[in-house]
Amino acid sequence: MHNQRIRSLIGEIEDKVFVGKTKMYHLFKRFDSDGDGYVSHQDFDQFIKSIKVDASKKEVASIMKLLDTKNQGYLTFNDFS
């Protein structure tokens, strides 16, 4: 059940973000709200809220954990893309 919800949220995020010919780097920069070159948990959470995806903090943490395969606590551009 939990995995289905996470997949659903990822799909919703993709639907709201990948509109038209958005370049991956520009998308990364949109997620990287503080401009430090990394997408932190806080950056990711802020972006999810800004595109009005209704996800709990726990769900956002689960998505971030899924994407952060190196368990660094942030995403580099390579991780993100």
Side-chain angles (χ1 to χ4, degrees):
M1 183 68 107
H2 179 70
N3 287 338
Q4 281 183 315
R5 172 70 177 150
I6 297 303
R7 285 186 196 138
S8 174
L9 287 170
I10 290 171
E12 186 177 348
I13 293 164
E14 288 173 343
D15 290 345
K16 290 187 178 203
V17 172
F18 294 105
V19 177
K21 295 183 178 182
T22 304
K23 302 283 186 199
M24 187 62 68
Y25 181 73
H26 295 292
L27 182 58
F28 178 78
K29 295 303 267 178
R30 286 179 61 196
F31 271 86
D32 180 17
S33 61
D34 57 8
D36 65 357
Y38 301 96
V39 175
S40 66
H41 178 85
Q42 182 178 359
D43 291 334
F44 194 82
D45 187 48
Q46 286 177 351
F47 187 79
I48 297 305
K49 288 177 183 171
S50 77
I51 61 171
K52 298 182 183 4
V53 171
D54 184 27
S56 70
K57 290 207 177 274
K58 187 174 182 178
E59 290 167 335
V60 171
S62 292
I63 294 169
M64 189 69 180
K65 184 175 181 175
L66 180 68
L67 298 174
D68 181 15
T69 58
K70 297 174 191 164
N71 201 25
Q72 302 173 106
Y74 59 85
L75 303 174
T76 65
F77 177 70
N78 286 338
D79 298 330
F80 185 85
S81 60

